[in-house]
Amino acid sequence: MSTVLRPSWHFTTADRWLNDPNGLVFHDGTYHLFFQSNPFGPEWGEMSWGHATSTDLVHWTDLGTAIPALPDEMVFSGSAVVDTDDTAGFGAGAMVAVYTSAYRSPSPRAGVQAQSLAVSNDEGLTWRRYEGNPVLDVGASDFRDPYVFWHEDHWVMVVAESVDHRLSLYTSRDLRSWAFSSTVGPAWTTEALWECPALLTVPTADGDRAWVLLLSVNPGGPTGGSASQYVLGDFDGYTFVPDGDESPRWLDYGHDYYAAVAWGGVPDGRALTIAWADSWQYARDLPSAPWRGAMSLVRQLDVVTGTDGVRRLRQRPVLGGHEGGGPAVTHLRLPCGHGTSASVRLLDDRDQQTVVLTVDGDAGTLSLDRSGCGEMPPAATAVAATAPLPASEEIDVTIIVDGSVVEVFAADGTITFCERLLATSPLSRVEVREVSRRR
């Protein structure tokens, strides 16, 4: 079998498994990306935190394993903060990782998931576990993925009670002692696991900021597999209240966008996220070369209000001023009003691999079909990814093709697709095959 193309701007490891992003933090001019990784190869297992850094959010340096699994503990997802004021007593400016200890035999806590700390005093290069771990243990088997941030005068942790379809919020003054505050849910999607929450503020068009809760569910996404959602609301430091009776919207309509979380400590107020560009339905079965798993592009978020008066999250790719020096980036405007349609094909030089983007004005949909670009594993859902379009006569579309990943940003960034491909040759051509007006 031919080798699947490795992307260049979507972060991959050299030779090991990668899944959820963890510990996103900006410090002293450097963006830190930690992530779930198996140090020993391209299969899921021995979950540890890998580490990569960047100064432009496009080019990444892989620093290997940061927090390794132990015989009695795997290191599941979490977050990281810079404790500037030394609230925890580990030293001013210490980088503190808050992660889920997934205990296993021979631990007496085997089967329990609890929240623990690891500390770095050298910019994340070396780590030591806190001797008082775990710092939050309720004796549960599905209690994971803490997202921690500073709010006014205390730390806040949002953590998933995965099988109970609930998020719990805790507060702390020192990162070591945590008090229960409130819950979100159970509500919304109750047939799926809840994982990898994040709670952050994002800019709005009027210069204010809005609270956004991110949540990943598995399965039950728009294509049937794992996916990420968002809901707007209000947060007073202790309780998050969704806007009205609003249900979450999909953060991405593609097959491959999961565990989206946000960077902390970004000095200019930007809201920046990244996700795992894969699906739990088939990630273990994708060909490796010898890497397996990729991250999405970094996205910058804000909230916009549509002509229908509805507030939505807008996502724009962070290209770092490098457009034209890497993956193929195509900007289009396509008709989407009633009686119109458009079809855009992404092809390799031999017309043997094809991805098709279709605008259907009558149905009011935008669809991305990857079925012509290699045969996905049997567990992969075969449906094309489809999103509803806003009422308009024209739609803007940006398509980014990077090796075996394609991302689409449409309708001013309020609709996105992220798709893994089995591309073995570059999709270097873009053809607008048909634009018609039906009478």
Side-chain angles (χ1 to χ4, degrees), residues 83 85-89 150-156 170-179 238:
D83 189 8
D85 297 327
D86 194 20
T87 64
W150 181 260
H151 181 78
E152 294 182 351
D153 62 353
H154 60 272
W155 297 102
V156 178
Y170 293 81
T171 60
S172 174
R173 300 282 182 177
D174 61 6
L175 292 171
R176 293 179 283 112
S177 300
W178 293 90
Y238 300 90

Side-chain angles (χ1 to χ4, degrees), residues 373-398:
C373 194
E375 185 176 350
M376 296 296 287
T381 50
V383 297
T386 301
L389 286 173
S392 178
E393 292 300 312
E394 196 174 46
I395 186 173
D396 62 284
V397 176
T398 296

